[in-house]
Amino acid sequence: HCNLVSSIAAGDDAAYNTDVMMMGVAYEANIAVSSIPNYSGNRWDDYAADLDSARGLGAIVSNNSWGFTNSEANDIDTLIADNPSLTTAQILGAIWSGDNANNVTTTNTNDFQAYIDAANNFQTAGGIIVYATANDENEDDVSAVAALPLWFTQLAEAWLVVGYMEVKNSSTISGSTFIQKGNPCGQM
């Protein structure tokens, strides 16, 4: 998945293989690859540090295709409505750290807020954040991680959510059949 996405974004096979002539949309771009296989503490501070590092390297796009199982935007809306005494950062920091909305900790909240701040700083520096809607066509809303600008409106300025569709039956858009393969855009 990572190789395919990065090739579409910045691939330049034409420089190495004149038989293929595949070029990405930004074929002269550099790629800063990252992975967070081992979390130190809460994962959100690691995600924040990773995004800050990309910004420090001059990255202008952060491409994300990750999220949490059974965590759609409408699920978060329900949790927010059911827990009016908690902030959205408290709720998301708790549930996405493996707890539930009844087990809010300062560390989880601060670490989650650090990610929101890192995303905002990335955008303020001129970056765009791209998220996949998620990969389950049976869901009825966008992944909650992809929908963060719904609750943190400062992120809406440079946030792009993309879906996964299969196009069949024609070489033209007008004659094609579109098959949804991932979560719908829903609220986004």
Side-chain angles (χ1 to χ4, degrees), residues 24 43 45 67 79 93 95 100 103 116 121 124 130 138:
R43 68 184 75 173
D45 59 344
L79 284 171
I95 65 166
N100 60 52
N103 192 18
I116 298 300
N121 292 339
T124 299
V130 180
N138 297 312

Side-chain angles (χ1 to χ4, degrees), residues 5-183:
V5 171
S6 61
S7 294
I8 291 169
D12 187 8
D13 193 45
Y16 305 102
N17 183 351
T18 56
D19 294 333
V20 177
M21 301 299 290
M22 184 277 186
M23 295 177 75
V25 294
Y27 57 89
E28 292 185 348
N30 294 321
I31 295 178
V33 179
S34 65
S35 178
I36 307 174
N38 298 309
Y39 307 112
S40 60
N42 179 321
R43 68 184 75 173
W44 290 104
D45 59 344
D46 294 324
Y47 294 153
D50 191 59
L51 196 52
D52 284 338
S53 175
R55 179 174 47 90
L57 291 169
I60 57 171
V61 177
S62 172
N63 186 56
N64 301 272
S65 182
W66 56 273
F68 300 96
T69 305
N70 299 323
S71 187
E72 301 169 48
N74 54 8
D75 298 328
I76 302 308
D77 285 338
T78 300
L79 284 171
I80 292 169
D82 290 347
N83 295 281
S85 65
L86 299 177
T87 67
T88 303
Q90 288 174 314
I91 292 169
L92 295 177
I95 65 166
W96 286 341
S97 297
D99 293 320
N100 60 52
N102 296 320
N103 192 18
V104 172
T105 69
T106 301
T107 300
N108 289 347
T109 302
N110 290 345
D111 288 350
F112 181 77
Q113 188 61 53
Y115 178 75
I116 298 300
D117 294 343
N120 191 48
N121 292 339
F122 187 86
Q123 291 179 337
T124 299
I128 297 169
I129 297 177
V130 180
Y131 266 94
T133 59
N135 298 318
D136 188 345
E137 68 267 16
N138 297 312
E139 300 288 353
D140 60 359
D141 205 354
V142 65
S143 157
V145 177
L148 285 174
L150 292 174
W151 309 292
F152 300 93
T153 56
Q154 71 270 32
L155 300 180
E157 66 190 270
W159 195 277
L160 178 65
V161 178
V162 296
Y164 174 28
M165 301 288 287
E166 181 178 348
V167 182
K168 287 186 163 189
N169 301 331
S170 179
S171 61
T172 66
I173 293 293
S174 62
S176 297
T177 302
F178 296 90
I179 303 165
Q180 178 183 323
K181 293 292 195 173
N183 289 40

